[in-house]
Amino acid sequence: MVIGITCYPSAGGSGIVATELGQQLASRGHQVHFVSYALPFRLDTYQANLMFHGVEMTAYPLFKYPPYTLTLAAKMAEVARNFKLDIMHVHYAIPHAICAYLAKQLLETNGGVNHAKIITTLHGTDITLVGADPSYFDITRFSIMASDGVTAVSDYLAKETIEVFKLDKDIRVIHNFFDDKRFKPGARGCQRSEFVAEDEFLLAHVSNFRPVKRIMDVIDTFDKIRQELPARLVMIGEGPETILARRQIKKRGLNDRVILLGNQSRVEAVLPCADLFLVPSEEESFGLAALEALACGVPVIGTSGTGLTEVVDDFRNGFLLPVGDTASMARAALSLLKDPNRLAQFKKAAGEGAKAKFSADRIVTQYENYYQEVYDA
Ligand code: GMT
């Protein structure tokens, strides 16, 4: 098929899923066209069947807020027309779903023919935080209803979407996935000794450092752990809470215990070195970062009542605890770290569980089948 993919190019989960999906589809022989304002974060190597179309913005003094939505819609229409797209797949509803709708209208004006179907993939905060905000609610609901197909990255998110928007629409759940050729257990490509001494444990965290990730809980949980066991924490990513994190790390005297790596496009080079992954988020529709950790053989300490329940097998390859309960998170982590046999079992179950449920081979086929189904409808 000829597939257009629109996503945020920044280092967030939705852009990463969109990029990895495009790469997988291209390697299966589909022609994939990315449309965005910058080259997506993980789209860093040439690949056959894969093209990128940048959205150029024209600055004009009248525009306090440059109208990216309009420029993007026009670009999507241009790419759809020039390359005869079969599918316009947009990731993160706001504003991409409404841009796809506009692009379709543009293509169909003046007797134009459009055969591209719009598929919107909902990722989480586009529904739970931003979409539910009164200023975006109606337009988000409209753009979901106007899509030819809608997918959500978890049952949790699909239910939340139906509930929040009172929708009568089929939402197909297609879970996130990982490339098992890159994300593997074992310390390949990463030197544990770069982060910890031989007798120390390594904890890891990856996120965009937004308030929803509860970065202070990551630091607090780690602080409690390292008071009982020799350990270090490696934190990957950056965002609005990075400054607060640095301040907190300093205040607690953890400067030599916490390594802040900033954004890294190849997290699979670091994750296999870790013993445990911390993701104490307030909300998580799925938790791609947690899946990538599991895939690398790293058990997860995360939050219950979120989409993480579909990713982590509680008491098998991780522990899920109430939001904010850093005492229980630290206790769960310590119980594992102090029991080498159990830790080894959890690490094994992490890699196996991830591969059995979320390998690219399995999930990308679900997207291909869904594309065909929506195209034929
Ligand atoms: O929270 C993030 O990491 C960013 C956000 C995004 O859209 O970029 O992530 C959401 O989409 C990811 C990919 O589907 C999910 O794995 C995350 O759970 C989800 N984040 C939230 O729901 C908070």
Side-chain angles (χ1 to χ4, degrees), residues 214-227 233 235 244-258 324 326-327 330:
R214 295 186 68 102
I215 297 296
M216 295 310 135
D217 285 4
V218 176
I219 296 169
D220 191 43
T221 305
F222 170 72
D223 198 6
K224 290 182 164 73
I225 295 169
R226 68 102 210 173
Q227 283 169 32
L233 169 67
M235 299 181 86
L244 298 177
R246 281 191 195 284
R247 230 179 264 158
Q248 191 61 217
I249 289 163
K250 191 169 173 213
K251 193 170 149 200
R252 292 178 183 235
L254 296 174
N255 271 343
D256 62 341
R257 297 266 124 209
V258 183
T326 55

Side-chain angles (χ1 to χ4, degrees), residues 132-371:
D133 184 280
S135 56
Y136 289 109
F137 187 90
D138 285 340
I139 200 146
T140 305
R141 187 177 195 283
F142 173 83
S143 65
I144 292 172
M145 290 305 289
S147 300
D148 299 301
V150 180
T151 77
V153 298
S154 61
D155 287 310
Y156 169 87
L157 182 61
K159 283 194 193 101
E160 193 75 12
T161 308
I162 300 283
E163 218 171 285
V164 169
F165 290 100
K166 311 264 177 298
L167 290 178
D168 179 21
K169 185 159 182 107
D170 176 51
I171 298 183
R172 186 67 51 88
V173 174
I174 303 184
H175 286 119
N176 288 333
F177 63 91
F178 68 96
D179 179 352
D180 58 15
K181 291 182 190 65
R182 291 181 9 236
F183 291 84
K184 300 178 191 182
R188 262 176 307 266
C190 99
Q191 295 296 331
R192 223 180 123 88
S193 57
E194 280 178 25
F195 302 105
V196 280
E198 227 165 81
D199 62 338
E200 288 176 330
F201 291 102
L202 183 65
L203 289 98
H205 172 79
V206 179
S207 78
N208 47 27
F209 284 57
R210 297 205 187 120
V212 73
K213 301 293 175 181
R214 295 186 68 102
I215 297 296
M216 295 310 135
D217 285 4
V218 176
I219 296 169
D220 191 43
T221 305
F222 170 72
D223 198 6
K224 290 182 164 73
I225 295 169
R226 68 102 210 173
Q227 283 169 32
E228 286 199 37
L229 285 176
R232 287 177 203 266
L233 169 67
V234 62
M235 299 181 86
I236 296 180
E238 52 193 43
E241 306 266 288
T242 306
I243 291 179
L244 298 177
R246 281 191 195 284
R247 230 179 264 158
Q248 191 61 217
I249 289 163
K250 191 169 173 213
K251 193 170 149 200
R252 292 178 183 235
L254 296 174
N255 271 343
D256 62 341
R257 297 266 124 209
V258 183
I259 308 138
L260 285 155
L261 288 182
N263 279 335
Q264 300 284 327
S265 62
R266 296 288 153 197
V267 290
E268 67 272 26
V270 177
L271 285 173
C273 290
D275 296 296
L276 285 182
F277 188 80
L278 302 177
V279 53
S281 310
E282 179 102 39
E283 274 281 347
E284 208 61 78
S285 69
F286 180 88
L288 181 68
L291 173 61
E292 292 184 339
L294 291 172
C296 291
V298 186
V300 169
I301 307 288
T303 37
S304 48
T306 67
L308 283 167
T309 50
E310 288 166 55
V311 183
V312 178
D313 288 336
D314 205 5
F315 287 87
R316 220 182 139 248
N317 58 22
F319 291 109
L320 298 178
L321 297 143
V323 174
D325 189 354
T326 55
S328 298
M329 289 180 201
R331 218 174 303 123
L334 283 163
S335 75
L336 264 188
L337 297 175
K338 286 178 179 174
D339 184 342
N341 288 336
R342 197 157 178 236
L343 180 61
Q345 276 168 20
F346 269 57
K347 285 186 174 182
K348 191 162 175 282
E352 286 172 358
K355 197 162 175 179
K357 290 197 257 176
F358 305 112
S359 71
D361 279 352
R362 193 185 170 88
I363 305 289
V364 175
T365 306
Q366 294 177 21
Y367 273 113
E368 279 181 308
N369 293 341
Y370 189 61
Y371 286 172

Side-chain angles (χ1 to χ4, degrees), residues 111-145:
V113 182
N114 164 54
H115 67 280
K117 296 285 177 78
I118 301 172
I119 294 181
T120 298
T121 290
L122 309 172
H123 280 272
T125 50
D126 46 352
I127 298 304
T128 53
L129 287 181
V130 194
D133 184 280
S135 56
Y136 289 109
F137 187 90
D138 285 340
I139 200 146
T140 305
R141 187 177 195 283
F142 173 83
S143 65
I144 292 172
M145 290 305 289

